[in-house]
Amino acid sequence: MTQHLSSPQASAVQQQAGPPASVWVVLGSTGFIGAAVCAGLREAGITVRTVQAPRLESSAQDAAGLLAEAAALEAVRAELAAAFTGARVVVNAAGLATPGGTDSPALRGANSLLPLVIADAADSAGLRRFVHLSSAAVQGHRPYLDETGYVQPFSAYSRSKALGERALAERTGGGCSAVTIRATSVQGPQRPTTAKLARLAASPLASVAGDGTAPSPVSSVDALVEFITTVGSYAGDVPAVVLQPWERSTVAGVLEAAGGRKPVRLPAWLCRSALWCGYRLSGLAGERLHGPLRRLEMMWFGQRQVAGWAEATGSVPEPRVQEILSSLQNSEPAGYRASERLPERVSR
């Protein structure tokens, strides 16, 4: 057998050129966050391979049941592994984003079982890192968000996300590093929930509890995409769970940026009493109002975020949420009449 050895000059050129551009797989590329991830990765010079997420259902109610179901899905795992071949990182932006929905096998399949199957397939394909997008909603009503395993889900959606996190934590992994990112309240100019936020912020219903200086977990899709890219490409070890960093907004600041007017300041005790009654009525109605009530709770009280891995490693993205929210004032959401907008108040 004849071997062709490269010349020293060729070797030097290859070293200067560095390794070939990495390939990242993205599942859920047609969704709001998935599409933004694909665009951000391509802008960063990363080759993106989109893979359609399999539609799964799950009857499991705990992590052990999910692990058993995942182990039985050999054909699905093999198909995904084949689609992942040659890639370096896989990002799971797939799932059912239904904060106000009810529990179902489809919800658990998409948000709880799918991450396990992807993680197993990533191991089989020899990928370096699996980045799974979860939600800070798994920690529910607690006063602050952090990167611990403590969860307090309050709805079918948040329970399905928390169950997926628990199963990943109990899974025996292989060589692929699995990292869960807890995304906060992500906003973007093309997202319907952001348009709703802008309409609310511009209306007389815009209000906060107390003086409005409580930190808000409202964040931007641009900062989330940057954070995902950082986590996926980070050379060192990354914790199993990381929290999307705070973008330094307050509850009053979010409403002012989105609506161009100062929100009404309500007594905190009145807001807490209204939420207490609302959640109990919603519980009697099968939690059907939990989603809107949670959004109201976030508008009034926000939620503090504990500094974590991003802050410790200098991996905090540039805050962009104020810029995104302010831009909405220049483009009225569909179905919103300019005559409905109240005059702006002069800032202090």
Side-chain angles (χ1 to χ4, degrees), residues 212-232:
T213 59
S216 171
V218 170
S219 58
S220 65
V221 68
D222 294 337
L224 176 59
V225 169
E226 182 181 337
F227 189 53
I228 291 169
T229 307
T230 298
V231 170

Side-chain angles (χ1 to χ4, degrees), residues 143-234:
Y144 57 87
L145 301 171
D146 61 19
E147 297 174 345
T148 66
Y150 178 85
V151 296
Q152 194 179 42
F154 62 95
S155 64
Y157 169 75
S158 59
R159 282 191 290 271
S160 71
K161 285 291 191 179
L163 183 56
E165 286 192 16
R166 173 59 61 187
L168 283 174
E170 295 187 9
R171 169 182 170 271
T172 301
C176 180
S177 163
V179 179
T180 294
I181 294 179
R182 286 177 179 161
T184 53
S185 181
V186 183
Q187 307 298 324
Q190 306 303 320
R191 195 168 205 181
T193 54
T194 305
K196 292 178 181 177
L197 172 61
R199 289 197 293 271
L200 175 62
S203 76
L205 297 177
S207 55
V208 294
D211 60 8
T213 59
S216 171
V218 170
S219 58
S220 65
V221 68
D222 294 337
L224 176 59
V225 169
E226 182 181 337
F227 189 53
I228 291 169
T229 307
T230 298
V231 170
S233 58
Y234 192 75

Side-chain angles (χ1 to χ4, degrees), residues 22-268:
S22 61
V23 176
W24 286 35
V25 172
V26 177
L27 290 91
S29 61
T30 60
F32 166 69
I33 292 178
V37 170
C38 290
L41 292 177
R42 291 184 178 116
E43 186 176 344
I46 296 172
T47 301
V48 176
R49 182 190 304 164
T50 62
V51 173
Q52 185 174 1
R55 293 183 181 274
L56 305 177
E57 292 191 351
S58 172
S59 59
Q61 299 292 333
D62 55 25
L66 282 174
L67 290 167
E69 289 182 343
L73 294 172
E74 296 181 5
V76 176
R77 180 169 62 252
E79 185 176 352
L80 285 176
F84 296 171
T85 300
R88 183 173 178 81
V89 178
V90 57
V91 178
N92 178 32
L96 290 180
T98 54
T102 57
D103 184 35
S104 69
L107 182 68
R108 277 176 271 121
N111 295 346
S112 308
L113 178 58
L114 178 61
L116 283 179
V117 179
I118 296 173
D120 289 342
D123 273 340
S124 299
L127 271 63
R128 181 178 179 274
R129 181 156 291 152
F130 165 41
V131 180
H132 168 57
L133 296 185
S134 184
S135 170
V138 299
Q139 294 196 307
H141 306 289
R142 67 186 316 214
Y144 57 87
L145 301 171
D146 61 19
E147 297 174 345
T148 66
Y150 178 85
V151 296
Q152 194 179 42
F154 62 95
S155 64
Y157 169 75
S158 59
R159 282 191 290 271
S160 71
K161 285 291 191 179
L163 183 56
E165 286 192 16
R166 173 59 61 187
L168 283 174
E170 295 187 9
R171 169 182 170 271
T172 301
C176 180
S177 163
V179 179
T180 294
I181 294 179
R182 286 177 179 161
T184 53
S185 181
V186 183
Q187 307 298 324
Q190 306 303 320
R191 195 168 205 181
T193 54
T194 305
K196 292 178 181 177
L197 172 61
R199 289 197 293 271
L200 175 62
S203 76
L205 297 177
S207 55
V208 294
D211 60 8
T213 59
S216 171
V218 170
S219 58
S220 65
V221 68
D222 294 337
L224 176 59
V225 169
E226 182 181 337
F227 189 53
I228 291 169
T229 307
T230 298
V231 170
S233 58
Y234 192 75
D237 294 334
V238 181
V241 175
V242 293
L243 178 66
Q244 181 184 357
W246 180 44
E247 294 196 41
R248 313 195 67 80
S249 291
T250 63
V251 290
V254 165
L255 293 175
E256 289 180 30
R261 52 176 292 155
K262 290 185 179 297
V264 176
R265 287 162 170 75
L266 301 174

Side-chain angles (χ1 to χ4, degrees), residues 257-315:
R261 52 176 292 155
K262 290 185 179 297
V264 176
R265 287 162 170 75
L266 301 174
W269 66 265
L270 178 63
C271 297
R272 294 192 188 280
S273 298
L275 289 170
W276 186 89
C277 294
Y279 276 118
R280 275 147 186 78
L281 289 173
S282 179
L284 296 175
E287 300 183 346
R288 294 186 181 277
L289 299 177
H290 272 36
L293 284 167
R294 181 60 177 164
R295 289 191 289 273
L296 182 61
E297 185 177 2
M298 287 296 95
M299 181 181 74
W300 281 344
F301 290 101
Q303 201 164 21
R304 182 169 62 88
Q305 295 183 220
V306 176
W309 175 82
E311 289 78 8
T313 59
S315 303

